[in-house]
Every structure is written in structure tokens, then in C-alpha cells.
Amino acid sequence: MLQKKRILFFLVFFSSIICYISNSNVQTMAFVSSQRVTITSPSPNETVSTSSLTVLGRSIDNSINNDCKVSVLVNNKAPYRDAIGTGPGGIGDYSSWRITLNSFNSGLKEGQNIITAKYSCSMSPLLPSYYEVSVTGAPIPTN
């Protein structure tokens, strides 16, 4: 009888481990295959104004995930700047988001620029998602 209980325990225990590993792999694959943040405007390789540029985007966020946010970096120059959530759930809903950049607050410059959006959650800080768009900054007209 004791032998049968041990076998049953091992079967249940190892089944749980296999299920856990299987579920972990599925979640990891889902994170790799799905983009959690995107920049919808400006478009890649677009020529943009360096005096004022509104960046728009989307993420997998919703009003329930209030520990998550989107922030933006230009040309890898810190710090990241927090975007504003514009989703239907209000200012904390980053399912859609926006931020206005210029040459003074972000490092946006004439010529080639890389805009990086970062989606991160305080509950899982090791799993941020990034999305980059390369744009060309136009000279600011002088009068």
C-alpha cells in the first residue's frame, strides 16, 4: 500500500512539474512572438520636425494593469520620458499612448534619430518590451 502511495505521489508531482514547464515555455514563446509595444506615428524613415514631434503608439496595456507604463527615449540618451496613456480606461491606460518631443527635452536632432518606446511593469521589471523607429529630423526653419 505504501509503495502505491509513493508511485501516485511521484506521478502527481512530476505531472505538475511537466505542466508547469510546459506552461512556462508557452508563456515565454508568447512574449517572444508578440510585440507588447509599438510606435504607430511617426512611420519608419519619415522626415520629422525637430521643433515639436508627437509620437503615438499602442501597447498590450489596459486600465487593469495599473503597474505598467510606456516611456520613450531618443538616440539612447537617458532619461526615458514617460508617455501619457490615452486608452479608453483613462490616463493610466497605455493601450494607446502619446508623448510630445522636441530638441530641448529629448535630444531630437537634425539628421538620423532613433526613437525607442519601452513598455514596462513594476511587478515584472525584468521583462520590458522595446520598439524602435528610425526617423530623420528636419532642420528648424529660421526667420
Side-chain angles (χ1 to χ4, degrees), residues 1 4 16 22 43 56 65 91:
M1 183 71 169
K4 286 183 183 179
S16 298
S22 174
S43 301
L56 305 173
N65 291 338
I91 200 161

Side-chain angles (χ1 to χ4, degrees), residues 51-102:
S51 62
S52 182
L53 172 64
T54 298
V55 179
L56 305 173
R58 298 201 171 279
S59 76
I60 63 167
D61 195 53
N62 56 42
S63 58
I64 296 170
N65 291 338
N66 44 355
D67 74 318
C68 301
K69 69 178 184 175
V70 173
S71 50
V72 174
L73 181 72
V74 178
N75 297 323
N76 292 319
K77 292 186 180 176
Y80 274 91
R81 308 235 183 272
D82 290 343
I84 297 169
T86 59
I91 200 161
D93 179 355
Y94 291 92
S95 57
S96 62
W97 54 270
R98 72 175 167 78
I99 187 169
T100 300
L101 306 171
N102 60 49

Side-chain angles (χ1 to χ4, degrees), residues 29-40:
M29 288 171 50
F31 281 130
V32 170
S33 65
S34 66
Q35 191 62 44
R36 296 188 292 157
V37 64
T38 59
I39 295 172
T40 56

